[in-house]
Amino acid sequence: QVQLIESGGGLVQVGGSLRLSCVASGGAFRRSSMAWFRQAPGQEREFVSAHKWNDGSTHYADSVKGRFTFSRDNARNTVYLQMNSLKPEDTAIYYCASGSRLITSTLRNGAAYDYWGQGTQVTVSS
């Protein structure tokens, strides 16, 4: 059973930065694709960024491209999401997810992931 624990959320002003972390335990982290999703109040969960373990590719939603950076540290079983130039529309609960059978066409589909963290709140004030 894989456990994912996110941290790093908080309250930040427009234009500020935050770095989210997600620590994984209980599974084959090195052979897991990892992703970040977010869900704002009253809205559906949306894809933010993902990294495929088998080819090392990183993918971003258009809304965060150029502002957010995904990274992973296999030695620490941890993935990060560096968020810069934050906007009010980035306010959401951010979730970490992992999956072992993802392909490029399913990376943005939350249903394709096997495990989820509990989420961490990010609030951007204007």
Side-chain angles (χ1 to χ4, degrees):
Q1 184 74 12
V2 173
Q3 286 191 320
L4 304 173
I5 300 177
E6 303 100 331
S7 62
L11 174 64
V12 64
Q13 292 186 334
V14 168
S17 299
L18 283 174
R19 188 177 80 155
L20 306 183
S21 301
C22 172
V23 180
S25 61
F29 179 79
R30 292 173 186 268
R31 290 190 292 276
S32 296
S33 293
M34 302 294 295
W36 290 96
F37 286 78
R38 66 187 182 186
Q39 186 167 20
Q43 297 186 22
E44 293 186 353
R45 181 180 59 195
E46 67 171 351
F47 169 80
V48 176
S49 181
H51 178 271
K52 285 178 61 189
W53 73 271
N54 53 347
D55 63 11
S57 61
T58 305
H59 306 258
Y60 296 96
D62 288 343
S63 59
V64 306
K65 202 172 293 183
R67 301 188 297 122
F68 290 12
T69 302
F70 186 110
S71 61
R72 71 188 289 165
D73 183 342
N74 285 339
R76 297 177 185 272
N77 282 12
T78 303
V79 297
Y80 304 95
L81 186 69
Q82 178 66 44
M83 305 186 297
N84 298 329
S85 302
L86 283 162
K87 305 175 181 179
E89 51 263 43
D90 294 319
T91 295
I93 299 175
Y94 283 71
Y95 296 93
C96 176
S98 71
S100 58
R101 298 178 297 274
L102 288 125
I103 57 177
T104 301
S105 62
T106 63
L107 274 179
R108 298 167 188 261
N109 181 358
Y113 290 80
D114 303 313
Y115 301 100
W116 292 82
Q118 83 289 349
T120 185
Q121 176 71 47
V122 171
T123 303
V124 184
S125 64
S126 56

